[in-house]
Amino acid sequence: MSSIYHGHLTVSIFGQSHAPAIGVTVDGLPAGEAVDLAELQTFLARRAPGTGPWSTTRKEADQPEILSGLDRGRTCGAPLAAIIRNTNTRSKDYENLRDIPRPGHADYTAQVKYGGFQDVAGGGHFSGRLTAPLCIAGGICKQLLARQGIYVGAHIAAIGEIADEKYDPVELTKEQLLAPGAKVFPVIDDAAGQTMQEAIAAAKAELDSLGGVVQCGVIGLPVGLGDPMLDGMENRIARLVFAVPAVKGVEFGLGFAAAALRGSQNNDPFYMDGDQVKTRTNHAGGILGGITNGMPLLFQAAVKPTPSIARPQESVCLSRRENAILTIHGRHDPCIVPRAVPCLEAAAAIAVYDALLEEWERSK
Amino acid sequence: MSSIYHGHLTVSIFGQSHAPAIGVTVDGLPAGEAVDLAELQTFLARRAPGTGPWSTTRKEADQPEILSGLDRGRTCGAPLAAIIRNTNTRSKDYENLRDIPRPGHADYTAQVKYGGFQDVAGGGHFSGRLTAPLCIAGGICKQLLARQGIYVGAHIAAIGEIADEKYDPVELTKEQLLAPGAKVFPVIDDAAGQTMQEAIAAAKAELDSLGGVVQCGVIGLPVGLGDPMLDGMENRIARLVFAVPAVKGVEFGLGFAAAALRGSQNNDPFYMDGDQVKTRTNHAGGILGGITNGMPLLFQAAVKPTPSIARPQESVCLSRRENAILTIHGRHDPCIVPRAVPCLEAAAAIAVYDALLEEWERSK
Amino acid sequence: MSSIYHGHLTVSIFGQSHAPAIGVTVDGLPAGEAVDLAELQTFLARRAPGTGPWSTTRKEADQPEILSGLDRGRTCGAPLAAIIRNTNTRSKDYENLRDIPRPGHADYTAQVKYGGFQDVAGGGHFSGRLTAPLCIAGGICKQLLARQGIYVGAHIAAIGEIADEKYDPVELTKEQLLAPGAKVFPVIDDAAGQTMQEAIAAAKAELDSLGGVVQCGVIGLPVGLGDPMLDGMENRIARLVFAVPAVKGVEFGLGFAAAALRGSQNNDPFYMDGDQVKTRTNHAGGILGGITNGMPLLFQAAVKPTPSIARPQESVCLSRRENAILTIHGRHDPCIVPRAVPCLEAAAAIAVYDALLEEWERSK
Amino acid sequence: MSSIYHGHLTVSIFGQSHAPAIGVTVDGLPAGEAVDLAELQTFLARRAPGTGPWSTTRKEADQPEILSGLDRGRTCGAPLAAIIRNTNTRSKDYENLRDIPRPGHADYTAQVKYGGFQDVAGGGHFSGRLTAPLCIAGGICKQLLARQGIYVGAHIAAIGEIADEKYDPVELTKEQLLAPGAKVFPVIDDAAGQTMQEAIAAAKAELDSLGGVVQCGVIGLPVGLGDPMLDGMENRIARLVFAVPAVKGVEFGLGFAAAALRGSQNNDPFYMDGDQVKTRTNHAGGILGGITNGMPLLFQAAVKPTPSIARPQESVCLSRRENAILTIHGRHDPCIVPRAVPCLEAAAAIAVYDALLEEWERSK
């Protein structure tokens, strides 16, 4: 009851940052689907550490080994399991965190919840590293969705207060959707991206970190995915998006901005585009009543600034029950947002593919 | 796979706006807990229509009948089921919506998903009316939580661009938390509330509607509720919050505002308050790594403006496949936000009580 | 986590024997399916008390009220909820059972589990009466399956040591399958049925009760329903069959008799029947590796003798912690087996329809 | 939705017989529990092939590697994942089975279900080899249960028509329960065991196989584990027991024999043994209304004879749609029953520990 998404697809994530391995099982994939391991590797590389100055210097090949679920390169109906070995671990960097928890991290809450038995090395099961198995599952779903003409992409919408352009909510093309993901620094507007990178470098130089916002889009969706109330597309996506440790908010379409509008402004008028029902605007982010309406599905996630900063911080010594000053060692990202981009694509892809499987069941 | 929250507690919601009844089953409540039906009724009355000029004129007593799960006034270990009969229905108001869907509503998506077999009367299963059974389940959880010293409250944080004060994120008392809920118009600052009501009246006069933001808080929480990754408090609450039809975004603690900060600003420093570990600020909203840290749990939900407005709107005629102008009849709230306040408390209460049950299991 | 079957279909049962109502919600039914309420009523009448001398004299109309999930007589995509009001209750018959538990019943275990807060009247949630909502869900599934050419039937295979004929495991026709269910006393061989009824009458006259075996069959199944390991057809059916309170064993195909055979005797040889793959025998009961093979699916369930007998029995007084003699009042079946027949059909129908929905998902 | 047990504990099994690995994840274990890997290895050795003449000659070390979930030898709150590498594979033995399915096996049903994409080598995901990860999960649960004074044991109750003694249903001691499991051939009565082994040798000499019955017992149980209807101990255990591929039936207490008795014979009279409520007989197998009553929990599982026999058998050629004679190569057990004994202990241990976790939650 913790690291499992249990829908028509069951995605079960395991591992700790410095355990022998991290991994995932995916149960419920249809049989006969080819999995392109090279493409999966390319997708995982977007999340892997060490690709730019904004990222931790811990280097991990992050090469998944598929243990089961494939036969002759295709899904065979059995659960797919994949692992990534942890190799480049420096556990002693974390020795003091059991007693002096890092502000903004799960060190303290895990210490209490697990009675001191939690694995603190590298953040244990709470490490951002656990998004790698999420990306394995999501990367496979992305491939299967693409085969149905459904595409998932994302970009950095903001770093600190520097904003990227937004996806066109109505006319979003496959090229526009996927272009940022092909860049080392995944933005639409490279000039904004340049400013963002400078801001990250500045924060890093000041032993600080930066947060940001990621926008994610899905196009090519049929009308009718998702369910009312507890299993709407918003519920499913939100549940998966908050699996990415640094996410503190999610909004669909206009989201919080919609709250400031009137109904006459926010409603998306329907019209016929040839024989297709479309909406002239897309403030709803492609979801009505929890169900896709065929317009681009769009959401944004707020990513907090990396809590692990090199500056001395106020904390407490749990054993002595007194205040303490903590200086964090270890290797950390001054800004996690670029690496969060593929993770949010993965979250969306799992949610959408799960809903698609369910719709296939119903539509028979 | 649609209207069920399936955790340690299983909450299963059923009904359509104009079906014989709406209702809920709650499976997994501990035996021996008294349920105060008068208090539950008071809670439901906060959500019921017809309490103010911002609300629909449809009047429903919304009196739940407990069908099972109680014996001599206490939970008896069996699933609790409760229903509310639908009485004040005017289904003919909705006859045209099967063919001409309302912008911003699920009419079109439901039509496609269910092949025209959906119940359109009153919005069917997509009606805001279905939040009444959510409030039955949540209202019971609120009572059980209060017995553990855990309190759940909420208030209107904004209507349109008019903001209420926020809850004190660090020192929030039970009185402050619960005060807004005791008012007919649930705000902290009544002057702001007055302005909000005038804005709603103005929008109504212009045949329009308004959205807003609700802030919800939970205090008295032990450290350690929630799980990493897919079952963190954010995941659980988000999944339930999006069950309230008009919600389009959710953020915890500073949420999207955190994305614009640096780590040194956003991190909540730990300190000892006597023998208790506390944080000096509470930007995290009381959740670290998905797990409660003992500080007030705080989140905000964006509520879109009621899509049902009396103005003529652009839509399409599905049978003729041509554009059409829709004028909505029926009785609708010019602003759903005041009635959403108890619904969000209910969502939070279910999520928190579910996590508490799980923690009891682990802590044995 | 108690009275819920959670698959592609979620069936959630609630109620106590003497609570205001018993009922069920079924979530996940496809939209657009007609539900024949008269046919459902006929099916429920087979389970209802008071149809013969082997049954309790408690009379309940057992008329379900559909509260939601239907629109214009068809499923509308929303959860279907149905209740049956409890009317003919004589709760005082049960007053002593909280302190002096009935042997063979859940009185004692419920007392301990629920700390004395359980509803003892009529057996509360443990009553055989709770199989009525199971039959509502199962009766609807039976209708939907029949529309796909899949038929579910059952008969009394034995009462005490008196055996009925068995279904032909290879050539079972729809007529043979359904014929027993159309009789008041559901057997294949009426002569055996006569002897059984005499044996029940004799047991009743001696203030005693009798058990028996029910055989259930499903025909018209496609090849490929069910999943390996935890979700095979055996796992699913077994899970549902043990929801019928008196069932103490289940076996598929030859079941326990297979354990005494050699592989060369037990294996079912494949052969081509025209273009169809069939097996010459059907010792496997139509299931290989948890998955249907297209042959009749056959299983048997052992039903224990009704524990409520009028003879004085040894028990204990829980409050005084001393031995006691119990004489049971109330109205009870001298043999529950005839009424268990439709319940087991219902269990099988739910399991099979659930697996069919899943297969539809996969086969798209 | 296939190889997952999803309760308070989630056990997710993956792997194919000749894939790189088989394995399991166990989510929901309390933190701080030591796992004795040597003891686990000893338990797994009881299931491993190659221990006697009744077993396949395929030799696998079956040494699990714990990938995650432990820290300093104890559970750390994160999901536990363990794998066993497949080493001794001879896939070419299975090449013909995609086209000519083995009678009594899942070859044909898997071929249809997965459209020919299933992994046939060694039986793929349907192989008895997949019970090894079940035993990893169950072996860990057995250790955790023993720490609570709850013991799980099993023995061969019959091979073909040769019966072992049964466990004493009332007075079963820990020594009696566990003694068979310490023997190479796990029976109570070694003389019967000798006859069984001779019968297996005879069947093997005739290129044939034998089935049998396993009896499993659990002692030290508190009163109150399990839930009514769908989550009774019978439902949970049955669901797990049928995960062992060759099992075709399960019965609790007297099971099918109870069906032939009268209520006065079958009911277990209660009496006070000091301050403890006990039953004089234990025909119910320690379960009343799905809930443990404190007496030994006892059940039996029917294990069919190994379908893979060396004799030529009738089958079909799926590609040519014609009858065919199949001669099976590969290495197979002439009797799977001895190796099924620990598997059924594992199934029982998972079900019981899951119910115990739930009870801990409720009893807070």
Side-chain angles (χ1 to χ4, degrees):
Chain A
M1 279 292 180
S2 76
S3 302
I4 301 172
Y5 178 82
H6 199 56
H8 284 237
L9 215 55
T10 298
V11 176
S12 174
I13 293 171
F14 58 87
Q16 297 116 244
S17 186
H18 291 198
I22 54 177
V24 66
T25 62
V26 185
D27 198 324
L29 292 172
E33 293 286 346
V35 174
D36 183 329
L37 295 176
E39 188 182 326
L40 180 61
Q41 189 63 52
T42 302
F43 179 64
L44 288 171
R46 292 173 51 199
R47 195 216 67 91
T51 57
W54 53 82
S55 159
T56 167
T57 57
R58 173 178 177 180
K59 286 210 170 36
E60 292 277 2
D62 276 358
Q63 195 134 16
E65 181 192 7
I66 310 286
L67 294 180
S68 68
L70 295 187
D71 184 44
R72 294 161 290 158
R74 288 174 183 268
T75 55
C76 64
L80 187 147
I83 61 171
I84 297 174
R85 294 273 168 189
N86 291 318
T87 53
N88 193 341
T89 57
R90 292 188 354 205
S91 299
K92 71 173 163 30
D93 286 346
Y94 296 86
E95 270 160 24
N96 62 333
L97 302 181
R98 196 182 301 276
D99 205 25
I100 306 182
R102 291 170 293 176
H105 265 286
D107 300 334
Y108 169 59
T109 52
Q111 167 79 19
V112 174
K113 184 173 190 80
Y114 302 118
F117 293 106
Q118 80 281 12
D119 181 358
V120 296
H125 189 60
F126 295 85
S127 167
R129 185 151 175 69
L130 271 290
T131 55
L134 186 76
C135 283
I136 294 175
I140 292 171
C141 289
K142 278 190 69 169
Q143 293 186 18
L144 272 54
L145 286 169
R147 227 160 277 167
Q148 307 291 330
I150 300 171
Y151 299 96
V152 181
H155 69 102
I156 300 173
I159 294 288
E161 298 186 335
I162 308 154
D164 191 16
E165 288 176 29
K166 293 282 175 70
Y167 281 137
D168 182 323
V170 173
E171 304 287 354
L172 183 60
T173 65
K174 179 181 165 190
E175 288 63 36
Q176 290 166 350
L177 178 73
L178 302 182
K183 303 177 186 179
V184 175
F185 196 81
V187 287
I188 298 174
D189 173 0
D190 291 327
Q194 189 56 40
T195 315
M196 290 173 183
Q197 291 181 60
E198 288 160 11
I200 295 172
K204 185 183 183 182
E206 297 171 40
L207 307 182
D208 215 335
S209 64
L210 273 175
V213 175
V214 175
Q215 188 190 33
C216 185
V218 188
I219 62 167
L221 288 165
V223 184
L225 301 194
D227 287 281
M229 301 215 69
L230 269 307
D231 276 311
M233 291 313 302
E234 289 110 334
N235 309 255
R236 292 174 196 241
I237 290 172
R239 199 172 164 219
L240 278 152
V241 156
F242 283 112
V244 181
V247 172
K248 293 299 280 186
V250 64
E251 58 181 2
F252 294 84
L254 285 192
F256 280 87
L261 297 182
R262 286 188 165 195
S264 60
Q265 299 166 309
N266 186 58
N267 282 351
D268 300 309
F270 289 112
Y271 75 102
M272 297 302 307
D273 182 12
D275 194 52
Q276 259 194 296
V277 175
K278 288 196 175 168
T279 61
R280 294 200 189 277
T281 52
N282 184 15
H283 301 151
I287 306 172
L288 289 173
I291 301 173
T292 56
N293 67 1
M295 300 297 293
L297 190 161
L298 291 164
F299 68 91
Q300 297 202 119
V303 180
K304 71 177 181 184
T306 319
S308 288
I309 54 177
R311 293 185 185 192
Q313 294 183 86
E314 283 184 70
S315 183
V316 293
C317 174
L318 293 171
S319 59
R320 298 201 202 150
R321 313 305 288 173
E322 65 184 26
N323 293 339
I325 296 298
L326 173 72
T327 304
I328 297 177
H329 306 291
R331 299 156 293 178
H332 303 283
D333 301 72
C335 182
I336 203 78
V337 183
R339 293 177 59 200
V341 169
C343 300
L344 289 162
E345 292 179 20
I350 294 169
V352 169
Y353 192 61
D354 183 53
L356 185 66
L357 286 177
E358 184 182 329
E359 194 50 30
W360 281 348
E361 165 193 313
R362 285 176 185 260
S363 64
K364 177 77 176 231
Chain B
M1 278 292 179
S2 73
S3 302
I4 300 172
Y5 178 82
H6 197 58
H8 284 238
L9 217 54
T10 299
V11 176
S12 175
I13 292 170
F14 57 87
Q16 298 115 245
S17 187
H18 291 201
I22 55 176
V24 66
T25 62
V26 186
D27 198 323
L29 293 171
E33 293 287 345
V35 173
D36 184 329
L37 294 176
E39 188 181 326
L40 180 61
Q41 189 64 50
T42 304
F43 179 65
L44 288 172
R46 293 173 51 200
R47 195 216 69 90
T51 58
W54 52 83
S55 161
T56 167
T57 57
R58 173 177 176 181
K59 285 210 168 34
E60 292 277 3
D62 275 359
Q63 195 134 16
E65 182 192 6
I66 310 285
L67 295 180
S68 69
L70 295 186
D71 184 44
R72 296 161 289 159
R74 288 175 183 268
T75 54
C76 65
L80 187 147
I83 61 170
I84 297 173
R85 294 270 167 191
N86 291 318
T87 53
N88 193 341
T89 57
R90 294 191 349 208
S91 300
K92 68 174 166 28
D93 287 346
Y94 296 87
E95 271 160 22
N96 60 337
L97 303 181
R98 197 183 300 277
D99 205 26
I100 306 182
R102 291 170 293 177
H105 265 286
D107 300 333
Y108 170 59
T109 53
Q111 167 78 18
V112 174
K113 184 174 190 78
Y114 302 118
F117 293 106
Q118 80 282 12
D119 181 358
V120 296
H125 189 60
F126 294 86
S127 167
R129 184 150 175 70
L130 271 290
T131 56
L134 185 76
C135 282
I136 295 175
I140 292 171
C141 289
K142 277 190 70 170
Q143 293 187 17
L144 272 54
L145 286 170
R147 227 160 276 165
Q148 307 291 331
I150 300 171
Y151 300 96
V152 181
H155 69 103
I156 300 174
I159 295 287
E161 296 186 336
I162 308 154
D164 190 17
E165 287 177 29
K166 292 284 175 71
Y167 282 137
D168 183 323
V170 172
E171 303 286 354
L172 183 59
T173 66
K174 179 182 164 188
E175 289 64 35
Q176 292 166 349
L177 178 72
L178 302 182
K183 304 176 185 179
V184 174
F185 197 82
V187 286
I188 298 173
D189 174 1
D190 290 328
Q194 190 54 41
T195 316
M196 290 173 185
Q197 292 180 58
E198 289 160 11
I200 296 172
K204 186 183 183 181
E206 297 171 42
L207 308 182
D208 215 336
S209 64
L210 272 176
V213 175
V214 175
Q215 188 189 33
C216 186
V218 188
I219 62 167
L221 288 165
V223 185
L225 301 194
D227 287 281
M229 302 212 70
L230 270 306
D231 276 310
M233 291 313 303
E234 290 109 334
N235 310 255
R236 292 173 196 241
I237 290 172
R239 198 171 163 220
L240 279 151
V241 156
F242 283 112
V244 180
V247 172
K248 294 299 280 186
V250 64
E251 59 181 1
F252 294 84
L254 286 191
F256 280 88
L261 298 183
R262 285 188 165 195
S264 60
Q265 298 167 308
N266 185 58
N267 282 352
D268 300 308
F270 289 113
Y271 74 102
M272 297 303 307
D273 182 12
D275 194 51
Q276 259 194 298
V277 176
K278 289 197 174 165
T279 61
R280 295 200 189 275
T281 53
N282 184 15
H283 301 151
I287 306 171
L288 289 173
I291 300 173
T292 57
N293 66 2
M295 300 299 291
L297 190 161
L298 292 163
F299 68 90
Q300 298 200 118
V303 179
K304 70 177 182 182
T306 319
S308 287
I309 54 177
R311 295 185 184 192
Q313 294 182 86
E314 283 184 70
S315 184
V316 293
C317 174
L318 293 172
S319 59
R320 299 203 202 147
R321 314 303 289 174
E322 63 185 26
N323 292 340
I325 296 298
L326 173 73
T327 304
I328 298 178
H329 306 291
R331 300 157 292 180
H332 302 284
D333 301 72
C335 183
I336 201 77
V337 183
R339 294 178 59 200
V341 169
C343 300
L344 289 163
E345 292 179 21
I350 294 168
V352 169
Y353 192 61
D354 183 55
L356 185 67
L357 286 177
E358 183 182 330
E359 193 50 28
W360 281 348
E361 164 193 314
R362 284 176 186 259
S363 64
K364 177 79 173 224
Chain C
M1 278 294 177
S2 76
S3 302
I4 301 171
Y5 178 82
H6 198 57
H8 285 238
L9 216 54
T10 298
V11 176
S12 174
I13 292 170
F14 57 86
Q16 298 114 245
S17 186
H18 292 199
I22 54 177
V24 65
T25 63
V26 185
D27 198 323
L29 293 172
E33 293 287 345
V35 173
D36 184 329
L37 295 176
E39 187 182 325
L40 180 61
Q41 190 63 52
T42 302
F43 180 64
L44 287 171
R46 292 173 51 198
R47 194 216 68 91
T51 56
W54 53 82
S55 160
T56 167
T57 57
R58 174 177 176 179
K59 286 214 168 33
E60 293 277 3
D62 276 1
Q63 196 133 15
E65 183 191 6
I66 309 286
L67 295 179
S68 69
L70 294 187
D71 184 43
R72 296 161 289 159
R74 289 174 182 268
T75 54
C76 65
L80 187 146
I83 61 169
I84 297 173
R85 294 272 169 190
N86 292 318
T87 53
N88 193 341
T89 57
R90 293 190 351 209
S91 299
K92 69 172 165 28
D93 287 345
Y94 297 87
E95 271 159 23
N96 60 335
L97 302 182
R98 197 182 302 279
D99 206 24
I100 306 183
R102 290 170 294 177
H105 264 286
D107 300 334
Y108 170 61
T109 52
Q111 167 79 16
V112 174
K113 183 172 190 82
Y114 302 118
F117 294 106
Q118 81 282 10
D119 182 356
V120 296
H125 190 59
F126 294 86
S127 167
R129 185 150 175 71
L130 270 291
T131 54
L134 185 76
C135 282
I136 295 175
I140 292 171
C141 288
K142 276 190 70 171
Q143 293 186 18
L144 273 55
L145 286 171
R147 227 160 275 165
Q148 306 293 331
I150 300 171
Y151 299 96
V152 181
H155 69 102
I156 300 174
I159 295 288
E161 296 187 337
I162 307 154
D164 190 17
E165 288 176 29
K166 293 284 175 69
Y167 281 138
D168 183 324
V170 173
E171 303 287 354
L172 185 59
T173 65
K174 180 181 165 191
E175 288 64 36
Q176 291 166 349
L177 178 72
L178 302 181
K183 304 177 187 178
V184 175
F185 197 82
V187 286
I188 298 175
D189 173 0
D190 291 328
Q194 190 55 40
T195 315
M196 290 173 183
Q197 292 181 60
E198 289 160 10
I200 296 171
K204 187 183 182 183
E206 297 172 41
L207 308 183
D208 214 336
S209 64
L210 273 176
V213 175
V214 175
Q215 189 190 30
C216 187
V218 188
I219 61 168
L221 289 164
V223 185
L225 301 193
D227 286 282
M229 301 212 72
L230 269 307
D231 276 311
M233 291 313 303
E234 290 110 333
N235 310 253
R236 293 174 196 241
I237 290 173
R239 201 175 159 217
L240 279 152
V241 157
F242 283 112
V244 180
V247 172
K248 294 299 281 185
V250 64
E251 58 181 0
F252 294 84
L254 285 191
F256 280 87
L261 297 183
R262 286 190 165 192
S264 59
Q265 297 167 309
N266 186 59
N267 283 352
D268 299 309
F270 289 113
Y271 75 102
M272 296 303 306
D273 182 14
D275 194 51
Q276 257 193 301
V277 175
K278 289 197 175 167
T279 59
R280 295 201 188 274
T281 52
N282 184 16
H283 300 150
I287 307 171
L288 289 174
I291 301 172
T292 56
N293 67 2
M295 299 299 292
L297 190 161
L298 292 164
F299 68 89
Q300 297 202 119
V303 180
K304 72 177 181 184
T306 319
S308 288
I309 53 177
R311 295 185 185 191
Q313 295 183 84
E314 284 183 69
S315 183
V316 293
C317 174
L318 292 171
S319 60
R320 297 203 203 150
R321 314 305 287 172
E322 63 186 26
N323 292 340
I325 295 298
L326 173 72
T327 304
I328 299 177
H329 306 291
R331 298 158 293 180
H332 302 285
D333 300 72
C335 183
I336 202 78
V337 182
R339 294 177 60 200
V341 169
C343 301
L344 289 163
E345 291 179 21
I350 295 168
V352 168
Y353 192 61
D354 182 55
L356 185 67
L357 286 176
E358 184 182 330
E359 193 51 29
W360 281 348
E361 164 193 316
R362 284 175 186 260
S363 63
K364 178 81 174 222
Chain D
M1 281 292 177
S2 77
S3 302
I4 301 172
Y5 177 84
H6 198 55
H8 285 238
L9 215 56
T10 299
V11 176
S12 174
I13 292 170
F14 58 85
Q16 298 117 244
S17 186
H18 292 199
I22 54 177
V24 66
T25 63
V26 186
D27 198 323
L29 293 172
E33 294 287 345
V35 173
D36 184 329
L37 295 176
E39 189 182 325
L40 180 61
Q41 189 64 51
T42 303
F43 179 64
L44 288 171
R46 292 173 50 200
R47 195 216 68 91
T51 58
W54 53 83
S55 160
T56 167
T57 57
R58 174 176 174 181
K59 286 213 170 32
E60 291 277 2
D62 275 359
Q63 195 133 17
E65 182 190 8
I66 310 285
L67 294 180
S68 69
L70 295 186
D71 183 44
R72 296 161 291 160
R74 287 174 183 270
T75 54
C76 65
L80 187 147
I83 60 170
I84 297 174
R85 294 273 168 189
N86 291 318
T87 52
N88 193 341
T89 55
R90 293 190 352 208
S91 299
K92 69 173 165 29
D93 287 344
Y94 296 87
E95 270 160 23
N96 60 334
L97 302 182
R98 196 181 301 278
D99 205 25
I100 306 182
R102 289 171 294 176
H105 264 286
D107 299 333
Y108 169 60
T109 53
Q111 167 79 15
V112 174
K113 184 173 190 80
Y114 302 119
F117 293 106
Q118 82 280 11
D119 182 357
V120 296
H125 190 58
F126 293 86
S127 167
R129 185 151 175 70
L130 271 290
T131 55
L134 185 76
C135 283
I136 295 175
I140 292 171
C141 288
K142 277 191 70 170
Q143 294 186 18
L144 273 54
L145 285 170
R147 227 160 276 165
Q148 307 291 331
I150 299 170
Y151 299 95
V152 181
H155 69 103
I156 299 174
I159 295 288
E161 297 186 337
I162 308 155
D164 191 16
E165 286 176 31
K166 292 282 175 70
Y167 281 137
D168 182 324
V170 174
E171 303 287 355
L172 184 60
T173 65
K174 179 181 164 191
E175 288 63 36
Q176 291 166 350
L177 178 72
L178 302 182
K183 303 177 186 177
V184 174
F185 196 82
V187 286
I188 298 175
D189 174 359
D190 290 328
Q194 189 55 40
T195 315
M196 290 173 183
Q197 292 181 58
E198 288 160 12
I200 297 171
K204 185 181 182 182
E206 297 171 41
L207 307 183
D208 214 335
S209 64
L210 271 176
V213 175
V214 175
Q215 189 190 31
C216 185
V218 188
I219 62 168
L221 288 165
V223 185
L225 301 194
D227 286 281
M229 300 213 71
L230 269 307
D231 276 311
M233 291 312 305
E234 288 110 333
N235 309 254
R236 293 174 196 241
I237 290 173
R239 197 171 165 222
L240 279 152
V241 156
F242 283 112
V244 180
V247 172
K248 293 299 281 186
V250 64
E251 58 181 1
F252 294 84
L254 285 191
F256 280 87
L261 297 183
R262 287 189 163 194
S264 59
Q265 298 167 308
N266 186 58
N267 282 354
D268 300 308
F270 289 113
Y271 75 102
M272 298 300 308
D273 182 13
D275 195 52
Q276 258 192 299
V277 176
K278 290 197 175 167
T279 59
R280 293 199 190 276
T281 52
N282 185 16
H283 300 150
I287 307 171
L288 289 173
I291 301 173
T292 56
N293 66 1
M295 300 299 292
L297 190 161
L298 292 164
F299 69 89
Q300 298 201 118
V303 179
K304 72 177 181 183
T306 320
S308 288
I309 53 176
R311 294 185 186 192
Q313 293 183 86
E314 284 183 69
S315 183
V316 293
C317 174
L318 293 171
S319 59
R320 297 202 203 149
R321 314 305 286 173
E322 63 184 28
N323 292 341
I325 295 299
L326 173 72
T327 304
I328 299 177
H329 306 292
R331 297 159 293 177
H332 303 284
D333 300 72
C335 183
I336 203 78
V337 183
R339 295 176 60 200
V341 169
C343 300
L344 289 163
E345 291 180 22
I350 294 168
V352 168
Y353 192 61
D354 182 54
L356 186 67
L357 286 176
E358 183 181 332
E359 193 51 29
W360 282 347
E361 164 193 316
R362 285 177 185 258
S363 64
K364 178 79 176 225

